[in-house]
Amino acid sequence: MPGTSAAQLLERSPHDHAPVQHPTAPSEERRIGGLDGLRAVAVLAVVAYHLWPDALPAGFLGVDLFMVLSGFLITGLLIDERARTGGVRLGAFWMRRFRRLVPALLAVLVGVALWVRIAGPALIRPTVRGQGLASLLYVGNWKLVHDGTTYGALASGQSPLLHLWSLAIEEQFYVIWPPVVVGLLFLARGRRRPLALFALAGALVSAALMAAWFEPGHDPLRLYYGTDTRAQAFLIGAVAVIAVRRFGAALLQKIAVPAFVLMLALFALEDATGTLYRGGFAGFALVAAVVVAAVTEPGPLARLLDRGPLRLIGRVSYGIYLWHWPVIVLITDDTTPLRGITLLLFRAALIAGATAISWLLIERPYRRAPGRRAVPLAAGGIALAAVCLLTLPSQHVVAYADVDVTTIPTPVVAPPAFSGVGLQSVMVIGDSGMYDVTPALTASFTSVGAQVISTAFAGEGLTTPPGVRDSWATTIDQYRPDLVVVMLGAWDYDWIADHGDAAYQAEVDATVKMLSARGARIVWLSVLPGDAVLPGRRVQATELDRFYSALPARFPGVVEYVDIATPLANARGDVRKPDGWHLCPDGAAAIASAVITELGIDAPTLTTGSWRADGRFDDPPGGCPG
């Protein structure tokens, strides 16, 4: 998604909706084939984006198409019911929505919970638990906003339930919007113009909030998942249906096909400037509204989309969306022996099979079930989903799971044990691996008379978060350290993939020059050995050592390089935390001792000391025995 972090990637969920109805035709079985075809286009765009994001950079806009559809169709249903009967039965409306949406959701929640319990990675089980319970209450989008971009969300890999954020927003729309429509129509004695003006004003406010709150270079997670900032698509759809009821859709037929082509083209555009958040989402919704309105009337676009295969895909698009993302996340080349086209076909078969089972055995039967059976079935399904989710572990095994990786903390300064005459000040830079090493380094350097300024924190790299190197420069100017110790992780991996090796080497060189500008020596450590988990995949973090190991030759007399792999491999005791990456005191001591040895400093042994009781070694709780 343009303008988002890796943590946000993802995720866009289409949902099947009630068909368009005419005032004299209340049955929900009456459908318009072109709208089902349009649903198929939307869900295929989303699935293609999740499978090949580089090929379809804005395929996630399929979700916005569904939001416009929802605003158009639901507002139309409410207006038509009032015109037909003189009122709106909100209870019946909400029950129809419950019957249509909830059973399939429960099936996914139960299926994913059982899947990750039996065969899924332990790292994602707490995330599935939390997001699943939030999705059960239809507040999943706000949980994502509340959690923010955390270390646990990134280090644990992608969640198979992340995509349910849009279902939460849609359900919130179903709860809030119908009473607004009924109330405004009642106050206006059936006139629709006040409703149209209210919806238009709401859409403008929503788009304006998104544009005003957007900050280039910062994670727009709040804007992308917020109900208020995403309401614009629903409300533009609402305005469109009122306009069609007033003026008809015949005039749209002349521009329907060009609008559809433009909409398809927008799926393929890449937004590197944040245009989507500055009116782009609203612009896409306007184009989508023209397309939606056009296919409700006979015309060339309706004929184009009213095709058997498209109608079938559109009719079950809700199930396709619900199941496609869990399959993509959980069925990978890491979890199966499959690769390439074989993996793609296997995923497609699983998505199709799960969708068919959901439709034939759960969704359609429940919609037709009499009320005396529907209530206990719903209660049983909700209870089953809740139990399956609640029995998953709530505690992350990954360290620092709740740490916000987008915020640069204030440096932590440890004073020296006495006034030394040699090394005066040491600055420590690095990600969570170095954050674990810092207590041991601090104990060593303060014992020989140096103060230690720690700027290490989870998620720190050369290129992330924005402004991190400016904060280092400020710290250098303030404390003027004699020595800077650096140990980075894999956080720059994606930046290198986007910009190339030469560009990253230039960033490394510029960082060395900045850190040493006031005469500081630099000790640059190799990356912690092992697999690093980035969203959606594991990478060998030590691949980045090729940039760092060459620094002594590039900056002789300024940079020393220390390979920590051997001392870490030779360390005894509990070296790593349960996540296999972060360090316990014995691992931290091995790395700190390697640094001290490289510098030729005679410091006390690290086999004992109060530093071993530092709270970070109990994150997660009990992660480092003793």
Side-chain angles (χ1 to χ4, degrees):
M1 184 178 67
T4 65
S5 72
Q8 303 155 14
L9 309 159
L10 310 181
E11 359 155 358
R12 327 311 183 203
S13 86
H15 313 304
D16 200 357
H17 305 273
V20 165
Q21 298 175 345
H22 300 286
T24 58
S27 171
E28 286 205 18
E29 296 304 316
R30 187 183 299 274
R31 303 182 69 89
I32 291 181
L35 285 177
D36 278 333
L38 196 56
R39 293 186 183 99
V41 171
V43 74
L44 291 175
V46 173
V47 174
Y49 167 70
H50 285 152
L51 287 171
W52 307 287
D54 293 336
L56 202 66
F60 57 84
L61 288 172
V63 170
D64 293 76
L65 174 55
F66 270 93
M67 290 177 176
V68 173
L69 265 166
S70 187
F72 186 97
L73 297 174
I74 296 307
T75 306
L77 286 172
L78 296 169
I79 290 174
D80 291 348
E81 182 177 349
R82 190 185 190 284
R84 186 176 63 249
T85 67
V88 176
R89 296 183 302 160
L90 290 177
F93 168 83
W94 284 321
M95 180 55 66
R96 289 194 300 270
R97 294 297 86 213
F98 182 94
R99 283 176 176 262
R100 177 65 190 94
L101 298 176
V102 174
L105 172 66
L106 296 178
V108 169
L109 294 178
V110 171
V112 169
L114 294 176
W115 195 342
V116 299
R117 171 179 290 280
I118 296 170
L123 287 174
I124 69 171
R125 289 171 188 167
T127 301
V128 168
R129 182 186 192 271
Q131 291 184 357
L133 291 172
S135 297
L136 192 60
L137 298 172
Y138 287 100
V139 293
N141 64 313
W142 290 115
K143 177 170 174 54
L144 291 172
V145 171
H146 175 268
D147 291 346
T149 306
T150 62
Y151 185 84
L154 298 180
S156 296
Q158 291 177 337
S159 165
L161 298 180
L162 183 64
H163 63 317
L164 298 181
W165 68 272
S166 65
L167 189 62
I169 292 180
E170 189 156 338
E171 194 65 23
Q172 292 159 28
F173 171 74
Y174 291 152
V175 170
I176 296 171
W177 184 240
V180 172
V181 173
V182 172
L184 287 174
L185 289 177
F186 174 78
L187 293 174
R189 297 182 179 181
R191 292 182 297 115
R192 299 166 186 171
R193 184 176 180 182
L195 177 61
L197 293 175
F198 183 89
L200 179 60
L204 291 173
V205 169
S206 177
L209 288 176
M210 177 177 276
W213 292 343
F214 176 72
E215 296 182 59
H218 289 73
D219 191 339
L221 178 145
R222 166 65 179 84
L223 309 181
Y224 195 83
Y225 294 135
T227 306
D228 48 0
T229 49
R230 299 312 298 270
Q232 54 188 295
F234 296 102
L235 296 174
I236 287 173
V239 173
V241 75
I242 297 171
V244 167
R245 293 293 190 272
R246 174 66 177 84
F247 302 107
L251 294 176
L252 297 177
Q253 298 306 322
K254 294 182 179 180
I255 61 171
V257 172
F260 180 69
V261 172
L262 174 60
M263 186 183 73
L264 295 181
L266 292 174
F267 287 147
L269 292 183
E270 184 170 357
D271 176 21
T273 62
T275 302
L276 279 174
Y277 293 92
R278 294 162 168 158
F281 280 113
F284 177 85
L286 289 171
V287 175
V290 171
V291 173
V292 171
V295 298
T296 63
E297 299 287 344
L301 185 57
R303 290 192 296 273
L304 175 67
L305 294 173
D306 190 4
R307 308 288 176 175
L310 290 177
R311 288 198 305 270
L312 176 61
I313 293 172
R315 192 171 181 85
V316 298
S317 58
Y318 180 47
I320 291 174
Y321 177 74
L322 286 177
W323 285 105
H324 90 282
W325 183 243
V327 168
I328 289 174
V329 170
L330 297 172
I331 303 299
T332 68
D333 51 11
D334 288 329
T335 59
T336 71
L338 305 177
R339 300 291 185 274
I341 188 65
T342 307
L343 177 61
L344 175 63
L345 293 175
F346 184 58
R347 283 170 161 175
L350 285 178
I351 295 168
T355 300
I357 291 171
S358 176
W359 175 257
L360 295 174
L361 301 184
I362 299 174
E363 298 175 59
R364 190 166 64 173
Y366 187 77
R367 291 177 72 181
R368 297 176 177 178
R372 63 180 181 275
R373 290 182 55 200
V375 172
L377 284 173
I382 292 171
L384 177 61
V387 168
C388 289
L389 292 166
L390 286 169
T391 53
L392 291 174
S394 60
Q395 178 63 50
H396 279 278
V397 297
V398 64
Y400 316 120
D402 297 326
V403 173
D404 179 2
V405 299
T406 65
T407 302
I408 302 172
T410 302
V412 176
V413 180
F418 61 90
S419 297
V421 294
L423 194 63
Q424 298 294 313
S425 182
V426 179
M427 179 177 173
V428 176
I429 293 174
D431 70 343
S432 55
M434 179 58 100
Y435 184 72
D436 283 338
V437 178
T438 299
L441 286 174
T442 300
S444 296
F445 285 122
T446 56
S447 70
V448 297
Q451 73 169 349
V452 176
I453 307 102
S454 175
T455 65
F457 63 93
E460 184 173 47
L462 287 186
T463 61
T464 184
V468 65
R469 282 182 289 173
D470 291 337
S471 72
W472 298 344
T474 299
T475 302
I476 292 285
D477 289 340
Q478 181 177 357
Y479 294 99
R480 302 194 177 188
D482 307 302
L483 177 69
V484 179
V485 184
V486 182
M487 186 177 78
L488 301 176
W491 296 95
D492 299 320
Y493 197 92
D494 287 335
W495 193 95
I496 297 169
D498 292 338
H499 298 84
D501 287 3
Y504 187 66
Q505 187 66 67
E507 297 294 324
V508 173
D509 291 351
T511 300
V512 169
K513 293 175 183 178
M514 180 267 293
L515 295 177
S516 61
R518 292 189 176 272
R521 297 165 58 197
I522 299 173
V523 174
W524 203 297
L525 310 185
S526 62
V527 179
L528 275 176
D531 288 345
V533 181
L534 295 179
R537 67 200 188 284
R538 290 178 176 271
V539 300
Q540 276 292 329
T542 50
E543 291 182 12
L544 302 187
D545 283 333
R546 68 185 188 275
F547 298 102
Y548 312 144
S549 60
L551 289 176
R554 298 174 71 88
F555 297 93
V558 176
V559 181
E560 299 172 58
Y561 178 76
V562 177
D563 190 338
I564 64 171
T566 299
L568 196 61
N570 293 336
R572 298 179 180 274
D574 298 303
V575 176
R576 301 255 191 167
K577 293 180 180 179
D579 56 27
W581 178 264
H582 296 92
L583 299 167
C584 287
D586 291 325
I591 294 175
S593 296
V595 174
I596 296 301
T597 300
E598 175 70 19
L599 294 171
I601 295 175
D602 184 16
T605 178
L606 293 170
T607 56
T608 60
S610 61
W611 68 271
R612 286 176 167 264
D614 191 287
R616 71 194 73 193
F617 297 123
D618 195 38
D619 187 350
C624 294

